[in-house]
Amino acid sequence: MIRGLNNREEDIAQYILDVQLPAYRVEAELIGYDDIPPLRDTVDTIRNSKETFVGYFIEQELAGFISYESADDAIDLCRMVVHPGYFRRGIAKRLLAYVLADAASSKKVTVSTGARNEPAKSLYRGFGFVLAKELEVAPGLSLAFFELDRRGQEDHNIV
């Protein structure tokens, strides 16, 4: 089941963090860079985030979530997180499809990921995102920036 998460509530923020930290540790290992900002998040930084959080639940357990910031004609996907215990079950794909069909319909959508994170890059390409640029943001860390321009489009066939 997919539903919104109120990250301003302390227990929900802790729940989000309990899923985020192990997931981003895997990404840090995958991209060879262990100081990625999501690993420095705390309950307070999650609670104070202006992002909209949407969670994927399996039997009342938060298995993953996506978060985004929205403007009039654009959505910036901020976090795509699946707990390692739930990898390879299509959760990220379902969360992305949900946001693209709901909040991001008829908008430009942007997202970034570690340039060496091939699973994430493959996911985004599978939804029609195109690589806009790669940028070294810190010594040893390059990010890949993707865009999907859905303005003026109606898409009812998102997987």
Side-chain angles (χ1 to χ4, degrees):
M1 166 176 44
I2 296 176
R3 69 173 188 255
L5 298 170
N6 184 354
N7 61 296
R8 303 226 179 334
E9 293 180 17
E10 187 170 347
D11 59 333
I12 300 297
Q14 182 64 59
Y15 209 24
I16 288 169
L17 199 60
D18 290 345
V19 173
Q20 176 173 301
L21 292 177
Y24 277 107
R25 282 186 199 108
V26 171
E27 180 172 8
E29 187 174 315
L30 184 67
I31 66 173
Y33 190 84
D34 63 0
D35 193 31
I36 56 179
L39 289 175
R40 293 191 303 261
D41 268 327
T42 65
V43 168
D44 286 337
T45 61
I46 298 289
R47 288 182 71 204
N48 293 321
S49 173
K50 304 233 185 282
E51 299 163 27
T52 298
F53 287 78
V54 177
Y56 187 96
F57 291 81
I58 296 177
E59 297 179 10
Q60 306 301 321
E61 175 126 2
L62 182 63
F65 65 88
I66 189 170
S67 73
Y68 60 89
E69 292 181 343
S70 183
D72 289 339
D73 66 344
I75 292 266
D76 183 31
L77 300 177
C78 303
R79 307 166 204 246
M80 169 65 71
V81 179
V82 176
H83 189 281
Y86 293 101
F87 279 1
R88 307 194 62 76
R89 296 190 192 184
I91 294 169
K93 188 175 183 179
R94 288 186 196 105
L95 284 165
L96 184 54
Y98 179 87
V99 170
L100 291 178
D102 183 34
S105 63
S106 301
K107 294 187 177 193
K108 181 178 180 180
V109 185
T110 58
V111 66
S112 63
T113 189
R116 291 186 223 149
N117 188 341
E118 291 303 326
K121 290 167 55 176
S122 178
L123 172 71
Y124 299 130
R125 284 189 193 110
F127 277 86
F129 282 81
V130 294
L131 181 64
K133 65 182 174 182
E134 283 194 17
L135 182 65
E136 185 174 5
V137 295
L141 178 62
S142 292
L143 295 180
F145 294 84
F146 288 87
E147 296 179 347
L148 176 65
D149 197 342
R150 305 184 74 217
R151 294 174 292 190
Q153 298 177 11
E154 287 188 34
D155 187 1
H156 302 288
N157 295 322
I158 294 176
V159 178

